[in-house]
Amino acid sequence: MVNNSRHCGYVAIIGKPNVGKSTLLNKIIARKISITADKPQTTRHQIAGIKTLANAQIIYVDTPGIHAKQKFQLNHYMNKVALKTMNTVDVILFMVNGLVWDAEDTYILEFLKKAKCPVILLINKVDKIENKEKLLPYLDNLNKKMAFAKIVPLSATTGANVDVLEKTIVNFLPEGKFLFSEKQTTDRDDKFLAAEIIREKLVRWLGQELPYATTVVIESFANTNHTLRISATIIVERDGQKIIIIGKQGAMLKKIGTLARKDMESLFHRKVFLTLWVKVSDSWSDDAAALERLGYN
Ligand code: GDP
Ligand code: MG
């Protein structure tokens, strides 16, 4: 039977930090648009990737995590965004780690029970499971927790079963015409990507020492004679944090700048001159007005 109908809709990937949401998005969309790192909470913005197939267009929304503790304004903001996302998408992908279920997963599960759209449960990192026989009873157990539309075990890094996931998603998308041009892969602009690359380097190299409230602001982004001139400010909360980021005789900042520049050159396919500054802004993560100024509104 030939089915010529087209499907199009929004899909959110929801799950606690570090389960592999960004990795999956990168695998599906191919271009490196979403930042992955071993440290949680690297994805602060809502990033959309668009995948156009022959008969379907899947628009991915990578939501910030849902946080049990609302300690800071920023976490409150993230909760609000996650809630809003949940109520405006057509399908939710709830991602958990293979064989390990914890209180954070339960917190999100309770949240997702209120969703009006189908929720597909993704069991990620199955490549790490040595004894695959343990997977079946685990799936059985999860199936009892909530009426999932489907359960898909997969590996975001190896790509195993990702094709099955895409077909499953299409089955749950509403019929309708494509909302974006087929060439579009992300709705984020180059300035945003540049800032995320710098953030990724900071997280990778400073890890725990990097305060969660660190942000990167692109001050200028100029494209002349096939050369990009980018100037960015890293905003931290305290002098001590500024000192750590700069490093001994500027060594850390230089390393971060060099690594970020190389990634930018391969992403933008041109020479990049990158200037980095570090600035202290007092406890801006508690200040809703400052958040808005920085674009988190
Ligand atoms: P996010 O916080 O949910 O966006 O998680 P990330 O995509 O940043 O991934 C967190 C970490 O888990 C990274 O080190 C990934 O390389 C790793 N990871 C993600 N998916 C897989 C997977 O399928 N298998 C394995 N072994 N590691 C994975
Ligand atoms: Mg992420």
Side-chain angles (χ1 to χ4, degrees):
M1 192 183 89
V2 185
N3 184 353
N4 283 322
S5 66
R6 284 185 146 194
H7 295 257
C8 180
Y10 288 89
V11 176
I13 309 176
I14 289 178
K16 68 186 173 195
N18 261 349
V19 282
K21 301 179 294 297
S22 304
T23 307
L24 177 67
L25 200 60
N26 287 334
K27 194 80 190 176
I28 290 172
I29 309 296
R31 190 182 179 194
K32 192 182 176 193
I33 53 153
S34 182
I35 305 302
T36 67
D38 289 327
K39 298 285 173 292
Q41 295 178 327
T42 50
T43 308
R44 246 204 270 163
H45 290 260
Q46 183 174 303
I47 299 174
I50 301 158
K51 179 70 171 276
T52 304
L53 305 163
N55 63 343
Q57 186 167 67
I58 311 174
I59 305 155
Y60 290 93
V61 181
D62 186 21
T63 58
I66 297 164
H67 299 276
K69 291 189 197 117
Q70 293 193 7
K71 237 165 119 190
F72 298 106
Q73 281 281 6
L74 203 56
N75 282 353
H76 178 66
Y77 160 83
M78 287 172 137
N79 274 332
K80 255 174 54 185
V81 170
L83 252 176
K84 195 173 142 211
T85 305
M86 196 176 89
N87 293 323
T88 52
V89 294
D90 301 296
V91 174
I92 290 172
L93 308 179
F94 174 29
M95 187 182 264
V96 299
N97 284 320
L99 300 189
V100 197
W101 179 279
D102 66 16
E104 255 187 299
D105 296 315
T106 303
Y107 178 82
I108 298 171
L109 179 92
E110 291 307 318
F111 197 82
L112 289 181
K113 281 182 178 167
K114 293 173 222 144
K116 289 172 196 84
C117 66
V119 177
I120 300 172
L121 179 68
L122 308 187
I123 316 286
N124 193 29
K125 309 195 187 181
V126 290
D127 57 296
K128 288 214 297 205
I129 302 173
E130 273 171 37
N131 185 355
K132 305 275 186 232
E133 277 170 25
K134 288 188 176 158
L135 197 56
L136 267 177
Y138 181 69
L139 295 189
D140 226 34
N141 194 23
L142 294 186
N143 218 357
K144 292 180 194 132
K145 289 185 192 284
M146 179 181 155
F148 294 111
K150 202 98 188 174
I151 298 185
V152 182
L154 51 80
S155 169
T157 43
T158 70
N161 231 21
V162 170
D163 54 338
V164 170
L165 170 65
E166 288 189 272
K167 283 188 199 123
T168 306
I169 294 169
V170 172
N171 284 337
F172 289 103
L173 287 186
E175 273 188 39
K177 58 179 198 288
F178 292 177
L179 293 170
F180 292 87
S181 110
E182 308 193 5
K183 275 184 289 189
Q184 223 159 344
T185 56
T186 169
D187 70 347
R188 286 292 173 182
D189 62 7
D190 291 346
K191 258 170 95 168
F192 172 80
L193 294 173
E196 283 290 275
I197 285 172
I198 297 166
R199 272 188 62 77
E200 181 195 31
K201 300 306 166 203
L202 286 166
V203 170
R204 275 196 201 285
W205 289 93
L206 295 167
Q208 298 295 344
E209 289 180 278
L210 182 81
Y212 165 51
T214 304
T215 196
V216 176
V217 175
I218 303 294
E219 308 284 358
S220 64
F221 193 101
N223 199 354
T224 44
N225 299 329
H226 298 285
T227 301
L228 273 177
R229 288 178 190 278
I230 301 170
S231 164
T233 304
I234 299 162
I235 302 174
V236 293
E237 287 177 317
R238 284 190 294 276
D239 284 330
Q241 295 158 349
K242 179 175 171 176
I243 290 165
I244 290 169
I245 291 177
I246 291 173
K248 258 203 185 112
Q249 290 166 332
M252 181 53 78
L253 191 62
K254 195 171 165 195
K255 174 151 77 184
I256 283 162
T258 304
L259 292 170
R261 177 179 53 77
K262 283 183 182 155
D263 271 18
M264 289 174 188
E265 286 181 339
S266 68
L267 179 67
F268 300 128
H269 304 290
R270 63 196 55 200
K271 203 165 168 47
V272 171
F273 283 104
L274 175 65
T275 320
L276 286 181
W277 306 91
V278 186
K279 203 172 103 182
V280 179
S281 160
D282 278 341
S283 65
W284 68 267
S285 73
D286 263 343
D287 179 354
L291 280 179
E292 227 165 64
R293 213 163 47 240
L294 295 167
Y296 300 105
N297 45 21

